[in-house]
Amino acid sequence: GKDVPLSNDLWNVLQFGETLSDKSDGAFDLTVGPLIQVWRKSRRVKSLPPDDILAPARAATGYRKLHLDADRRTARLDVPKMQLDCGGIAVGYALDESLRLLKELGVDSAMIEGSGDIAVSSPPPGEPGWKIAVAPLDPNGPPSQTLILTHAAVTTSGDAWQHVEIEGVRYSHIVDTRTGLGLTTHSSVTVVAKTGIVADSYATAA
């Protein structure tokens, strides 16, 4: 219920995330924190969350309950116990900022990796670009393809490594904001974009 001043970095992330939430009709949602906490516990104990735990978390989630003021650069949360979770976007933003800082220091050719997200600038000497292997849907399989990238970012989002089976159903670590539970579609999405913040967040949304 209070307007909270934001740092430039947090403002940039929240503003981009809010725009993507609108575009994706909530498939990407920075207010998913309460549901993430509930689902992490369910994954650990390998049991679906009871309704009396899941319902309040769902009530405290929803990107329309987050309000940003561009003039004052503040954020306000509408209901108690809301919690922001920037896990699906912040790494990409950090990669972009890291490449920007390296360029200011005179480093024109670089590849940076964070939690599986990759951003690159100019290619290595004598090469057309950076060779990036795309992870397969099967974690034990060979790369599904190889990309040659310059001045770009790539992110793969999926459940190859992070999933759990509960009552015979395979659930992803990625939460469906409509249900509050992990996705049940065994899938993998790779996004290539000009910036890390786009690749990271769009892969999660998709």
Side-chain angles (χ1 to χ4, degrees):
K2 297 181 180 180
D3 293 320
V4 179
L6 305 177
S7 66
N8 287 335
D9 288 326
L10 185 54
W11 170 260
N12 291 337
V13 169
L14 294 189
Q15 185 181 49
F16 190 96
E18 184 181 53
T19 300
L20 181 54
S21 293
D22 285 330
K23 287 182 177 181
S24 65
D25 195 26
F28 183 86
D29 191 340
L30 289 172
T31 70
V32 75
L35 292 177
I36 294 292
Q37 296 300 318
V38 169
W39 187 240
R40 281 178 180 166
K41 182 176 181 180
S42 293
R43 288 171 57 201
R44 286 197 302 269
V45 300
K46 297 186 178 181
S47 176
L48 294 179
D51 289 340
D52 62 338
I53 297 295
L54 184 59
R58 292 180 64 181
T61 300
Y63 71 95
R64 292 187 177 90
K65 301 170 186 174
L66 166 65
H67 304 280
L68 303 179
D69 187 318
D71 293 328
R72 296 185 296 163
R73 291 211 165 189
T74 60
R76 186 179 75 252
L77 303 175
D78 277 352
V79 301
K81 298 184 179 180
M82 289 185 70
Q83 183 181 357
L84 300 179
D85 188 313
C86 298
I89 188 173
V91 172
Y93 176 77
L95 296 182
D96 293 337
E97 289 299 290
S98 298
L99 284 182
R100 181 183 63 80
L101 290 172
L102 286 176
K103 186 174 182 179
E104 289 180 359
L105 294 171
V107 179
D108 294 322
S109 177
M111 178 177 70
I112 303 179
E113 183 271 342
S115 297
D117 300 352
I118 296 175
V120 301
S121 51
S122 298
E127 298 290 338
W130 296 91
K131 295 180 181 179
I132 311 295
V134 177
L137 191 57
D138 177 4
N140 298 315
S144 59
Q145 59 181 307
T146 299
L147 307 173
I148 307 295
L149 300 179
T150 61
H151 300 289
V154 58
T155 298
T156 295
S157 184
D159 64 350
W161 295 100
Q162 298 190 65
H163 60 270
V164 65
E165 186 172 312
I166 302 175
E167 298 175 8
V169 179
R170 176 191 172 106
Y171 292 92
S172 171
H173 71 293
I174 301 173
V175 171
D176 185 340
T177 55
R178 297 166 298 183
T179 65
L181 305 177
L183 296 172
T184 57
T185 52
H186 181 32
S187 59
S188 178
V189 176
T190 297
V191 173
V192 178
K194 291 183 178 180
T195 62
I197 195 171
V198 171
D200 191 10
S201 59
Y202 275 55
T204 302

